[in-house]
Amino acid sequence: MAGAELIGKEEIKEIMDVLETGVLMRGDFFKERKGALKVPQFEKDFARYCGAKFALGVTSGSAALKVALTALDVGPGDEVIVPAFTFIATWEAVLEVGAIPVMGDIDGSLNLDPDDMERRITPFTKAVVPVHMLGAPARIDRIIEVAGKHNLLVLEDNAQACGGHFRGKKLGTFGDMGIFSFDYYKTMTTAEGGMVVTDRQDLYERADWYHDHGHDHNPDVGRALEGRTILGFNYRMNELQGALGLAQLRKLDYIIAEQRKNKEAVRGMLKSIKGIGFRNVPDPEGDTATFLAFNLTDEETTARFQKALGDNGVNTVCFKKNLWHYLPNWEHFLAQSTANSRKYPFRDPSYRGKVSYDRSAIPQAEDILGRTLVMGISVKMPEERLAAIQEGIQKAAKIL
Ligand SMILES: *Cc1c(COP(=O)(O)O)cnc(C)c1O
């Protein structure tokens, strides 16, 4: 649970700054704020932390995906390649902008396989959304290379690996745009919240306009007199979220460092067990270590080992069976049960392509996820907890 474990006096202090002014929203009321501008400060600090030119705070990671896809002008008639293993929000965001998501397979990194991705490209492909799942990087260098070769836009969904990097460059800054989530489960949290980052001013401006009803945020006039070029909507981050973000961002490197220590400890307990292998992390140095993923030789053994671990107090997830993170299990998606009754955009007449979501088309995900078990790693894992895990693992290993 990472950042959520560390909510304390720093967060309270930041929140109180805001409550004392009484100004809870972003924008306007500059006199009453007495200098407290939490969201803009959080954006500035976050952009600097990531090494991105621009950052825009929004209401959630899901909103960040939609805002970014909109800024990238992805829409009706377009296809977007998305990995079959991700939180469902990545897929929903593509549908939200009226485009059609195309299923990509994963590789041993548990993230989008760049070679498979290349095979999914059609004349309708406009963008690709690689996701850095479970805290660790995709083969992002290769994904960027393939996308570049085919002139595709890249939006990195970095909701799950905030603070992670690939060869020293922060995740979320490789593509045209990147997004982050600060929901309560994520590496750092603002209760709900998200961020869009980019180096391109034109994309930042479109995202900024769109996320706030088109407001051009002209500092020289009041909000009521601001100009607009495009229509938008409301995905504004509020000052309480910005306050939490500032406090949590300052803890992010500590969170990652502690998790890395704890992950190494648990990894050490599993390493010597015959038949156990580990997720292939393209740059282990860039892993934020929120999860440890390990694998066994076949699905049946994996299920038995998972049960034995559970019986001994060690909980793991097999994502092939997970209801929210693996496309073949989304019966409502497969039935095209969109929130509107017209099954839009699946039935959009302007869409000329043809997609299939059959699980037989993602053989690597089917194989790898069925043999992979995932354990959550916390910031706080005291000796007793680690000892209990060690004991549970040793007992469970007897069935192998
Ligand atoms: C959490 C998550 C999101 C959505 O973020 P919210 O802030 O919960 O809306 C998007 N993509 C991935 C991969 C996520 O894990």
Side-chain angles (χ1 to χ4, degrees), residues 77-154:
D78 296 332
E79 288 178 354
V80 180
I81 301 172
V82 186
F85 174 48
T86 179
F87 180 54
I88 195 168
T90 323
W91 287 74
E92 290 171 328
V94 175
L95 298 174
E96 280 284 311
V97 299
I100 298 290
V102 168
M103 183 173 71
D105 207 349
I106 61 166
D107 58 28
S109 73
L110 304 187
N111 293 319
L112 190 64
D113 174 359
D115 300 319
D116 177 77
M117 167 195 139
E118 189 161 29
R119 290 191 288 272
R120 312 271 170 170
I121 296 169
T122 74
F124 312 107
T125 314
K126 172 110 170 217
V128 48
V129 187
V131 186
H132 305 290
M133 284 298 279
L134 307 176
R139 285 158 64 200
I140 192 67
D141 54 341
R142 182 82 185 112
I143 290 170
I144 295 290
E145 193 181 303
V146 173
K149 187 168 125 196
H150 296 276
N151 228 348
L152 304 180
L153 294 163
V154 178

Side-chain angles (χ1 to χ4, degrees), residues 59-63 65 86-87 89-90 131 133 157 159-160 179-183 186 192-194 325:
T59 43
S60 69
S62 306
L65 285 165
T86 179
F87 180 54
T90 323
V131 186
M133 284 298 279
D157 180 340
Q160 294 200 10
I179 72 94
F180 297 79
S181 162
F182 310 124
D183 81 27
K186 298 302 196 316
E192 301 282 357
H325 294 79

